[in-house]
């Protein structure tokens, strides 16, 4: 559509008159279109206002419901679960240094003296952060009790973005598979643990275990790669000495 610069005063020539007529006509057409569009919109809103109000009401109810659920149901449930898990955590921590480890790990799992164990927390407080953490504790307890399938099941359900706990749980699954002589699975989980959330504590630890698992599978080249990464990237880690020893063994395998 052509546009023209509006001139002040009355049109002097026929061309000016024609231009003004076209401009006025176009402007009128635009306003008529806008009026018609607005009228159709108003008519549609009027016709469907009950549905629109219903949708708005549903959205508002969902938002308010979410906040009410979080504030009055989920939050108190989290606090209650955390409080009830305290004794189980206490048993578990005692088991780390006490001579009667098995009984303490069992108490942490099953509970004692009328207090919940980790399995009770998981059963009664599913969906809470406490129940998620209970999967980690339970898995580690089962691992120390030599119940490796149970350990794998619990640790696999644990979800975390923590830089330490996440790789520890993944690597512990590798430990369980190694104890079951499923070295291919062990290697897989050790490598995953070494790659995730890399840090100076867990990464060299699981690189070493991955290298040893690779050697058990006669994958000396892969083992050497893991040992080399420890010595080059984590030279101050406690695993360096062992990595150097196993490097010699892996090299001997290639001869």
């Amino acid at each position: 559509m052509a546009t023209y610069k509006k001139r002040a005063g009355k049109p002097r020539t026929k061309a000016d008159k024609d231009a003004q007529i076209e401009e006025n006509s176009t402007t009128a057409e635009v306003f008529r279109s806008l009026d018609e569009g607005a009228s159709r919109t108003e008519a549609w809103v009027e016709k469907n206002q009950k549905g629109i109000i219903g949708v708005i009401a549903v959205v508002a109810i969902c938002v308010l419901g979410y906040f009410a659920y979080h504030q009055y149901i989920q939050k108190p449930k989290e606090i209650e679960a955390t409080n009830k898990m305290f004794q189980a955590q206490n048993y578990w921590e005692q088991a780390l240094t006490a001579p009667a480890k098995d009984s303490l790990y069992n108490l942490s799992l099953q509970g004692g003296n009328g207090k919940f164990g980790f399995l009770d927390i998981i059963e009664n407080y599913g969906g809470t952060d406490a129940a998620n953490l209970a999967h980690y504790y339970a898995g580690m307890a089962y691992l120390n009790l030599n119940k490796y399938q149970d350990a794998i099941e619990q640790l696999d359900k644990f979800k975390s973005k923590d830089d330490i706990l996440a790789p520890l749980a993944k690597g512990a699954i590798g430990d369980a598979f190694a104890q079951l002589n499923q070295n291919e699975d062990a290697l897989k989980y050790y490598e995953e643990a070494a790659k995730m959330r890399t840090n100076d504590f867990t990464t060299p630890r699981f690189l070493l275990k991955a290298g040893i698992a690779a050697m058990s599978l006669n994958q000396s080249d892969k083992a050497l790669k893991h040992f080399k990464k420890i010595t080059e990237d984590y030279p101050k880690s406690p695993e360096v000495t062992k990595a150097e020893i196993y490097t010699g063994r892996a090299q001997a395998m290639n001869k």
Side-chain angles (χ1 to χ4, degrees):
M1 181 179 65
T3 57
Y4 297 89
K5 184 177 179 181
K6 189 175 181 180
R7 298 176 182 176
K10 296 181 179 180
R12 297 178 180 179
T13 66
K14 184 177 184 302
D16 289 341
K17 289 181 181 179
D18 292 342
Q20 187 177 52
I21 291 170
E22 182 179 349
E23 182 177 357
N24 291 339
S25 176
T26 301
T27 302
E29 182 182 347
V30 169
F31 278 110
R32 278 198 303 273
S33 298
L34 290 173
D35 287 342
E36 289 174 2
S39 298
R40 285 195 295 268
T41 300
E42 289 172 0
W44 184 87
V45 170
E46 183 177 353
K47 180 180 178 181
N48 297 278
Q49 63 180 340
K50 289 184 179 180
I52 295 170
I53 292 171
V55 170
I56 294 172
V58 168
V59 172
I61 290 170
C62 288
V63 171
L64 291 173
Y66 170 79
F67 284 110
Y69 173 81
H70 180 76
Q71 184 67 28
Y72 299 110
I73 298 177
Q74 187 66 17
K75 190 174 179 180
K77 189 177 180 182
E78 288 281 4
I79 294 171
E80 183 178 333
T82 300
N83 290 337
K84 289 198 173 185
M85 194 167 70
F86 175 78
Q87 185 58 59
Q89 289 174 303
N90 192 34
Y91 286 134
W92 192 90
E93 289 169 3
Q94 289 180 49
L96 296 177
T97 56
K101 294 178 181 293
D102 287 4
S103 61
L104 287 167
Y105 279 127
N106 278 313
L107 282 170
S108 75
L109 287 165
Q110 306 295 338
N113 298 321
K115 303 295 184 179
F116 274 16
F118 294 126
L119 299 181
D120 297 311
I121 298 296
I122 291 167
E123 181 179 353
N124 291 278
Y125 295 95
T128 64
D129 292 338
N132 180 51
L133 188 57
H135 283 302
Y136 173 81
Y137 280 118
M140 291 299 195
Y142 279 130
L143 187 62
N144 282 279
L145 291 168
N146 303 326
K147 296 182 178 181
Y148 303 120
Q149 291 289 359
D150 291 328
I152 292 167
E153 181 181 346
Q154 291 296 330
L155 290 167
D156 193 50
K157 293 177 181 178
F158 173 65
K159 309 300 178 187
S160 176
K161 295 181 180 179
D162 186 85
D163 289 345
I164 302 299
L165 287 183
L168 281 179
K170 189 73 70 174
I173 295 177
D175 290 338
F177 277 120
Q179 291 296 328
L180 293 169
N181 294 317
Q182 296 178 223
N183 292 325
E184 289 186 1
D185 291 316
L187 175 59
K188 171 189 171 184
Y189 278 92
Y190 287 146
E191 289 179 335
E192 288 181 8
K195 289 177 183 177
M196 68 190 307
R197 317 281 194 273
T198 55
N199 58 76
D200 293 340
F201 174 59
T202 62
T203 304
R205 176 178 181 174
F206 293 117
L207 281 171
L208 180 65
K209 292 190 175 190
I212 295 171
M215 286 178 64
S216 72
L217 295 166
N218 294 317
Q219 298 178 15
S220 56
D221 289 340
K222 181 176 285 189
L224 286 169
K225 182 184 71 173
H226 293 318
F227 298 142
K228 183 179 179 181
K229 189 169 183 63
I230 295 172
T231 57
E232 290 184 352
D233 295 354
Y234 304 94
K236 296 182 180 180
S237 68
E239 289 77 18
V240 166
T241 302
K242 289 185 177 179
E244 291 172 346
I245 294 171
Y246 280 108
T247 295
R249 297 179 183 178
Q251 287 172 339
M253 290 174 65
N254 282 337
K255 294 179 180 179

